Amino acid sequence: MRAGERLEPLEIPVTRTLIVAGAIASRDYQDVHHDPELARRKGAPDVFMNILTTNGLVGRYVTDHFGPKAVLRKVAIRLGAPNYPGDTMVLTGTVEEVDGDTAVVRVVGANGLGDHVTGTVTVTVPGANPEATP
Amino acid sequence: MAVSDEQARDELGERLRKFVGRPAAVAGAGKDPVNAPMIRHWCEALGDTHPAYTGPDAIAPPTMLQVWTMGGLSGHPGRTGAYEELLGLLDAAGCTAVVATDCEQEYPRPLRPGDEVTFDTVIEEVSGRKTTRLGTGYFITTRTEVRVAGEPAGVHRFRVLKYAPAPHRPHEPRQQRRGPELHEPRRHQEPESRRRQEPAPSKPLRPRPVINRDNAGFWQGVAERRLLIQRCTACGTLRHPWLPGCNACGGLGWDTVEASGEGTVYSYVVVHHPPAPGFDPPYAVALVELAEGVRMVGNVVGVPYDEVRIGLPVRAGFRRVDEELTLPVFQALSSVTAVER
């Protein structure tokens, strides 16, 4: 782990199944996340991903990269362009700071409309930097 | 009215800000203990194969923190009157739509299957009125402390925008639609590509109300987002619609009382056909009996057209239909709580 390190991008196909499965797995039954007709009545063109699913995907992206020992400490995200079915979200990340075995990673998830999510993840990877004794 | 609507003193905002610091949930309890099946469903949905989330020593994915506090289909048991009141005020003001914008979580310790989660939520911040591309509304920030056996297990800060959806105007140039706010994303919440695919002829506007000497006071009230009922100064009888004289005593003198906004559907129709310019069928038109006793015609919103029923409790609000026209609408109260926030 070192500041400036870039994480391999992760492509997430935004399927209807992912949106609905994520909403239900997070116990979020707001109609805009599963009913296209009701989503349209609220001004959206289709169902869209809920924030809990986005949050989970951002966490997964970082732990996928740092491996089985990685432990999430903080996840802070802000949403922008919605994730609608048929789009693809590409997650990218950069390590911003490293303090011992803990890193702060800046994550951006962009889709065809713009940035769906921007945020930072604080992750600890025990034994990641054994030689680092600042 | 458009200008005064945007620039009027933000009285609602001032009322909303009084909720800052008040609890939104007190001693809420998770509906289920942290458990392996819900963890597995989550990991399956998200494609998360992290080994820490399976096996005998499994922990829950930390990003599931909020999941353990969700009300699900049956709603939120720990939610307070203050939070419901705050949401109700916004609903009544036409801010019926909600979108989550920010989520900040800290995980001081892992959650494991068997952990019983409790939580307290406080209303941390309510913004002033903000015009975003989605519509005009207010950002509400809550902070939830999650505990297990009294020990801190997580902090969850959550921000939603509760807003009145902006009217859909495909022809308007993008620049004019740019609100002063809605977070930083390069482009944004709106389905830009879809807009471009819809160079439809500009949508016909709703017909204008016919305003005359007899009813001008009513429409002036609507412009100020107040629902005014006429009252005979001779006998005190309330009346609506507005008329020059009293039906009860014939008196010509009158003043007004502001309706509380509470009412129930007295009768209704659902319009399917024929479509009229400016209307988007199917929609429900109700005759609402206000708490004060008079009846008023308006659209019922916040509930699918086919779920409107006689006796449905509603609350009056206002909807800006287009640049010049604001109309009273009736928000179905049964739908107010059916939303996770």
Side-chain angles (χ1 to χ4, degrees):
Chain A
M1 287 198 304
R2 54 174 181 77
E5 176 183 346
R6 283 177 191 280
L7 282 63
E8 187 78 12
L10 174 65
E11 276 195 17
I12 305 277
V14 182
T15 62
R16 209 168 277 282
T17 303
L18 172 61
I19 291 168
V20 174
I24 302 308
S26 54
R27 305 225 354 106
D28 182 347
Y29 292 91
Q30 267 205 67
D31 50 29
V32 291
H33 304 310
H34 64 260
D35 188 325
E37 177 54 36
L38 294 182
R40 274 191 282 275
R41 279 192 223 162
K42 291 186 176 161
D46 204 333
V47 296
F48 53 91
M49 186 178 285
N50 73 342
I51 194 168
L52 290 91
T53 300
T54 301
N55 201 44
L57 290 171
V58 167
R60 174 197 150 190
Y61 176 52
V62 170
T63 52
D64 276 1
H65 176 81
F66 288 102
K69 289 185 190 163
V71 181
L72 297 175
R73 299 295 182 197
K74 287 183 198 175
V75 175
I77 60 169
R78 169 164 288 187
L79 294 192
N83 266 343
Y84 293 118
D87 209 336
T88 300
M89 176 171 70
V90 180
L91 288 160
T92 53
T94 308
V95 177
E96 283 201 327
E97 301 168 24
V98 176
D99 181 6
D101 56 5
T102 297
V104 177
V105 184
R106 178 85 186 156
V107 176
V108 176
N111 63 26
L113 301 174
D115 287 347
H116 167 67
V117 58
T118 52
T120 55
V121 177
T122 306
V123 60
T124 298
V125 188
N129 286 8
E131 72 286 359
T133 41
Chain B
M1 279 312 129
V3 170
S4 68
D5 195 42
E6 284 302 318
Q7 298 176 347
R9 220 169 99 247
D10 188 7
E11 283 177 29
L12 177 61
E14 283 167 28
R15 286 172 74 189
L16 299 176
R17 268 191 291 281
K18 299 204 172 97
F19 287 85
V20 170
R22 294 178 69 183
V26 176
K31 293 209 162 181
D32 297 288
V34 176
N35 65 84
M38 282 173 65
I39 293 171
R40 188 171 59 76
H41 297 167
W42 167 276
C43 289
E44 276 184 16
L46 271 56
D48 198 330
T49 55
H50 195 293
Y53 308 149
T54 56
D57 297 322
I59 63 166
T63 50
M64 280 185 83
L65 183 65
Q66 186 184 1
V67 176
W68 310 114
T69 70
M70 294 290 274
L73 278 175
S74 49
H76 288 275
R79 199 172 261 185
T80 63
Y83 197 56
E84 297 296 348
E85 202 184 321
L86 173 64
L87 300 178
L89 281 173
L90 283 159
D91 282 323
C95 295
T96 52
V98 64
V99 62
T101 61
D102 295 79
C103 173
E104 297 167 25
Q105 300 183 329
E106 294 173 36
Y107 318 112
R109 55 152 276 189
L111 290 171
R112 298 176 187 281
D115 283 345
E116 304 259 7
V117 161
T118 58
F119 57 96
D120 293 276
T121 304
V122 67
I123 300 164
E124 194 175 63
E125 196 184 322
V126 181
S127 74
R129 181 167 54 206
K130 301 287 181 188
T131 300
T132 74
R133 286 209 221 171
L134 286 172
T136 297
Y138 297 81
F139 288 93
I140 304 170
T141 309
T142 54
R143 184 176 192 276
T144 299
E145 292 187 0
V146 177
R147 293 188 181 80
V148 172
E151 295 297 312
V155 178
H156 170 60
R157 182 178 282 113
F158 202 61
R159 184 169 301 125
V160 299
L161 170 66
K162 191 143 168 61
Y163 65 100
H168 190 66
R169 283 172 300 197
H171 259 356
E172 201 172 344
R174 268 191 69 194
Q175 293 80 345
Q176 286 181 16
R177 289 192 61 82
R178 179 176 291 280
E181 154 109 51
L182 188 53
H183 300 325
E184 55 202 356
R186 283 193 303 251
R187 274 153 275 168
H188 94 78
Q189 297 263 14
E190 203 147 28
E192 212 80 58
S193 57
R194 183 182 154 85
R195 280 184 168 275
R196 281 195 294 269
Q197 288 159 14
E198 277 181 9
S202 59
K203 209 177 158 187
L205 298 176
R206 285 276 281 264
R208 310 289 97 175
V210 177
I211 299 176
N212 54 38
R213 270 194 312 181
D214 293 330
N215 67 11
F218 175 76
W219 291 105
Q220 182 58 40
V222 169
E224 296 162 10
R225 299 192 165 234
R226 300 164 68 212
L227 206 53
L228 298 179
I229 303 170
Q230 227 177 356
R231 176 171 58 189
C232 175
T233 48
C235 72
T237 302
L238 300 177
R239 64 179 186 258
H240 187 89
W242 284 37
L243 293 166
C246 175
N247 288 325
C249 73
L252 295 178
W254 57 269
D255 61 7
T256 61
V257 290
E258 184 170 357
S260 67
E262 306 297 328
T264 54
V265 171
Y266 181 80
S267 187
Y268 68 97
V269 292
V270 174
V271 179
H272 292 268
H273 193 80
F279 292 87
D280 195 15
Y283 55 90
V285 181
L287 182 61
V288 169
E289 184 158 283
L290 296 177
E292 290 78 8
V294 300
R295 295 174 194 153
M296 205 174 279
V297 173
N299 288 122
V300 179
V301 299
V303 66
Y305 66 88
D306 55 1
E307 288 176 23
V308 174
R309 293 288 180 273
I310 289 171
L312 180 75
V314 294
R315 187 183 289 136
F318 296 91
R319 183 160 286 182
R320 202 169 154 201
V321 185
D322 57 52
E323 210 73 88
E324 285 91 26
L325 182 60
T326 294
L327 292 175
V329 294
F330 295 97
Q331 171 76 29
L333 291 185
S334 51
S335 69
V336 167
T337 54
V339 167
E340 300 286 358
R341 293 169 179 101

